[in-house]
Amino acid sequence: MKDVASLFGSMVFNDAVMQARLPKDIYKAVKKTEAEGTRLELDAANAVATAMKDWAIERGATHFTHWFQPMTGITAEKHDSFISPMAGGRVIMEFSGKELVRGEPDASSFPSGGLRATFEARGYTVWDATSYAFIKDGTLCIPTAFCSYSGEALDKKTPLLRSMEAIDRQAMRILKLFGNTTAKRVITTVGPEQEYFLIDKEMYVKRPDLVYTGRTLFGARPPKGQELEDHYFGSLKPRVSAFMKELDEELWKLGVHAKTKHNEVAPAQHELAPIFSTTNIATDHNQLTMELMKVIANKHGMACLLHEKPFAGVNGSGKHNNWSIGTDTGVNLLEPGETPYENAQFLLFLVAVITAVDEYQDLLRVSAASAGNDHRLGANEAPPAIVSMFVGEELMGILEAIESGASYKGKGKHQMEIGVTVLPHFPKDTTDRNRTSPFAFTGNKFEFRMLGSAFSIAGPNIVLNTIVAEVLSRFADTLEKSKKFTDDLAELIKKSVGDHKRIVFNGNNYAAEWVTEAEKRGLSNLRTTVDALPEFVSKKSVDVFTKHRVFTKQELHSRYEIFLEAYCKTLHIEALTMVDLVKGKIIPASIDYQNELARLLKLKKDSGASFDTTLENHLLTAISKLSASILKKLEVLERAIKDSKDRSEIKALATFYRDKVFPAMSELREVVDELETLADKKRWPLPTYGDMLFSVI
Ligand code: ADP
Ligand code: MG
């Protein structure tokens, strides 16, 4: 391996490359586009395109693609080669400014939720100059936003960029009030921790449920699960280590700051965390990370599972969205400062987040909703479906003191009144942690823990940026009018704490009592995706997203449809896969085994000798009974699948899948899993949980 420093970013058309390869005036124009979102003149675009192409060809690229993030939650690309025919049957390699800044994929098959009828299938991809182009697998990838002919967002990047602008606008108003004249922009930053499973590829291909749905639909618990907690931070198995090494290298080449890797709690579960970057780049990089995990696992003879709950009975996988706000001058606004003024500013941003999370808890919940994540949220391993915040004891003490008007007497000599004395530095170490909280303050950032492992982080960050922008805008409205800034600021912080502290919960979020307590506090508990999604199109949601120009009403409604549709389709495919497996594998295996037992019984009887047949009788009886029960449950599931066809209204259909199809699936699974515990391991048609979870050695 080349040294990491020269490897890092070697496949990225980054700032250093641009500076070295672009004429000065063109470079300046690109920087302007990057910073201000202005359009690049065609001449300049042509110059950039040529430089990009030459650079890419030197690195072995033959194609280019507009890389975008449609509503499927994964990335899309359509490759065009650089070749252009010449007289005499030759070709030259060409790439124009027009091709760089705008593409027109025939994208009629991407979900649009009715925003774009297939007869006018035109969708445009537009270069996002704030995220660098890169080479992946011989193709120059240009990060782009994807929108319809009439300008509606058809992707996850467009609203994300809009939400970043919204919070920038509002946070800048606040900074101005504090006399900040140096910051030009406020940027949200994210570091997403990614969990995943690795299993042996041979096991994977023998499990149609994993192949079709990403999770196991059957499987009895193995004798050993995660109870010993001996996997967490354990030493890496050589195959896993080789995989992680190659993954790091490939990510580094693409400019992804892969930083931390370790084993997670469940057997076969691991985690990767990058160093944080701007939300937009973090989102692009997280998509690349998930993609490369799959590709590289495959090269190492393994399958990478990104599903939220690939195995019942062991932990599922989530994604922790570490989020903060900072200035372009490098100041983290969620970091307590050195001066009273800085601290007052910190407290204002802190209570803005608290207010936003409390007021828009439903939108945050929606942003973490999916069929896959329904298996985690509310189960005793992930945050519950109730959104609450952890701020730690010390900060809580300060907030309570502010509210009651008392002066704060913290540990040691810290005393504080807003704007007067210096705040203590809050501990960032792991002792003051609450790992059960969905939304935890960790010293200088918040960690939103409800996301599922397979998610694009765009959705949750769109919500987070927008709701905080909204609260900041209200704060700015009040304070801009103020004649007595310090007094009104103190009053605003105090009032916000009083109004919204119900969202703060520092206790154990997994405890059953919390559900009752949360209800008393009036917090919502949207248990499933179907409960949560309607909040996305509530008046409150439409108001906040349209006010900040993040989504239009139509865009919100189309997304609502797409999410519900995805939910229904996921359950539909799972149900069909179950039926297929039971008919094609489980029942034949059961018959095979019964046949064997019956033959043995008959042999013993026919022999004339008085052999004991207790075992055969017992097993045959039990298996016959279970098999009959399987048949019954299978019929119930098949009927439910059939009945789903009668429902065309999407919300009714989703409700039907949740209330009728899903329970039928669970019941069928239960009997099949019981049969597995009786069956002959040699004859069982699927690799077992034990086989899969301990398959990588
Ligand atoms: P912790 O010990 O709190 O988990 P780490 O330093 O391990 O902190 O960080 C966890 C994740 O949070 C990493 O991805 C890290 O880059 C990210 N992170 C740290 N600071 C910030 C920040 N200001 N904004 C966004 N993410 C951050
Ligand atoms: Mg973690």
Side-chain angles (χ1 to χ4, degrees), residues 356-488:
V357 173
D358 182 35
E359 272 192 35
Y360 295 98
Q361 45 184 288
D362 293 344
L363 284 183
L364 284 168
R365 171 65 185 93
V366 171
S367 80
S370 77
N373 219 18
D374 276 4
H375 298 284
R376 288 178 67 241
L377 299 182
N380 275 358
E381 51 162 283
I386 306 163
V387 176
S388 74
M389 295 173 94
F390 169 83
V391 296
E393 244 174 66
E394 185 152 32
L395 198 46
M396 190 62 198
I398 290 169
L399 295 176
E400 277 169 350
I402 290 172
E403 200 212 346
S404 65
S407 71
Y408 171 71
K409 291 196 180 42
K411 292 177 212 146
K413 55 185 184 323
H414 300 303
Q415 287 228 347
M416 76 134 243
E417 281 170 59
I418 304 161
V420 182
T421 40
V422 178
L423 273 182
H425 271 276
F426 302 108
K428 267 182 268 176
D429 61 81
T430 44
T431 50
D432 193 24
R433 281 298 170 87
N434 180 330
R435 302 202 172 272
T436 67
S437 176
F439 206 100
F441 184 66
T442 51
N444 60 359
K445 62 185 187 294
F446 279 99
E447 189 170 344
F448 183 28
R449 300 213 182 94
M450 283 173 117
L451 284 68
S453 49
F455 277 50
S456 157
I457 61 170
N461 286 296
I462 291 168
V463 170
L464 205 42
N465 293 344
T466 309
I467 62 178
V468 176
E470 165 58 19
V471 176
L472 291 175
S473 83
R474 279 188 244 151
F475 283 5
D477 288 346
T478 307
L479 294 174
E480 280 166 357
K481 287 197 294 261
S482 162
K483 299 259 173 340
K484 297 168 292 170
F485 182 71
T486 314
D487 291 353
D488 289 344

Side-chain angles (χ1 to χ4, degrees), residues 447-689:
E447 189 170 344
F448 183 28
R449 300 213 182 94
M450 283 173 117
L451 284 68
S453 49
F455 277 50
S456 157
I457 61 170
N461 286 296
I462 291 168
V463 170
L464 205 42
N465 293 344
T466 309
I467 62 178
V468 176
E470 165 58 19
V471 176
L472 291 175
S473 83
R474 279 188 244 151
F475 283 5
D477 288 346
T478 307
L479 294 174
E480 280 166 357
K481 287 197 294 261
S482 162
K483 299 259 173 340
K484 297 168 292 170
F485 182 71
T486 314
D487 291 353
D488 289 344
L489 173 68
E491 187 50 38
L492 182 63
I493 294 177
K494 188 173 161 176
K495 180 162 173 10
S496 307
V497 173
D499 288 351
H500 300 290
K501 65 168 191 226
R502 64 169 187 167
I503 196 76
V504 176
F505 176 61
N506 290 328
N508 179 7
N509 284 260
Y510 296 174
E513 302 87 73
W514 169 232
V515 178
T516 329
E517 163 70 13
E519 200 181 334
K520 260 194 244 150
R521 294 188 187 190
L523 302 181
S524 48
N525 184 0
L526 300 166
R527 283 182 33 260
T528 67
T529 297
V530 184
D531 296 316
L533 281 178
E535 299 302 326
F536 202 51
V537 286
S538 67
K539 176 162 186 316
K540 195 168 159 186
S541 170
V542 173
D543 285 349
V544 73
F545 282 121
T546 53
K547 174 176 169 191
H548 295 280
R549 302 197 293 272
V550 173
F551 287 120
T552 63
K553 193 170 175 188
Q554 291 83 336
E555 285 171 346
L556 280 174
H557 276 271
S558 72
R559 266 147 230 263
Y560 169 68
E561 300 257 320
I562 291 170
F563 294 147
L564 275 175
E565 227 172 74
Y567 177 86
C568 295
K569 285 179 183 165
T570 302
L571 265 77
H572 192 71
I573 294 168
E574 287 181 353
L576 290 183
T577 305
M578 270 191 142
V579 170
D580 199 51
L581 273 176
V582 169
K583 285 184 172 168
K585 287 188 187 282
I586 310 289
I587 291 178
S590 157
I591 290 174
D592 194 25
Y593 195 27
Q594 290 183 62
N595 207 355
E596 176 90 6
L597 289 167
R599 257 211 303 247
L600 180 61
L601 260 178
K602 184 168 175 345
L603 266 178
K604 281 188 174 176
K605 280 194 186 131
D606 289 355
S607 71
S610 53
F611 290 117
D612 188 315
T613 55
T614 321
L615 178 73
E616 299 81 349
N617 261 317
H618 175 81
L619 272 176
L620 191 53
T621 311
I623 291 175
S624 310
K625 216 167 135 198
L626 272 176
S627 301
S629 171
I630 287 174
L631 186 66
K632 228 200 238 138
K633 312 266 178 196
L634 176 70
E635 282 166 4
V636 175
L637 178 60
E638 285 192 292
R639 199 167 325 118
I641 295 171
K642 218 164 137 230
D643 288 350
S644 71
K645 301 224 164 30
D646 301 340
R647 283 159 187 79
S648 56
E649 198 275 313
I650 189 76
K651 170 85 196 305
L653 183 63
T655 309
F656 183 82
Y657 273 106
R658 182 193 62 188
D659 297 343
K660 292 286 182 291
V661 179
F662 186 72
M665 286 165 60
S666 306
E667 286 201 12
L668 177 58
R669 173 178 187 149
E670 204 174 304
V671 269
V672 171
D673 288 358
E674 201 179 331
L675 178 69
E676 185 188 330
T677 62
L678 290 180
D680 177 356
K681 286 267 182 299
K682 277 204 313 285
R683 286 166 204 272
W684 193 249
L686 298 166
T688 64
Y689 267 35

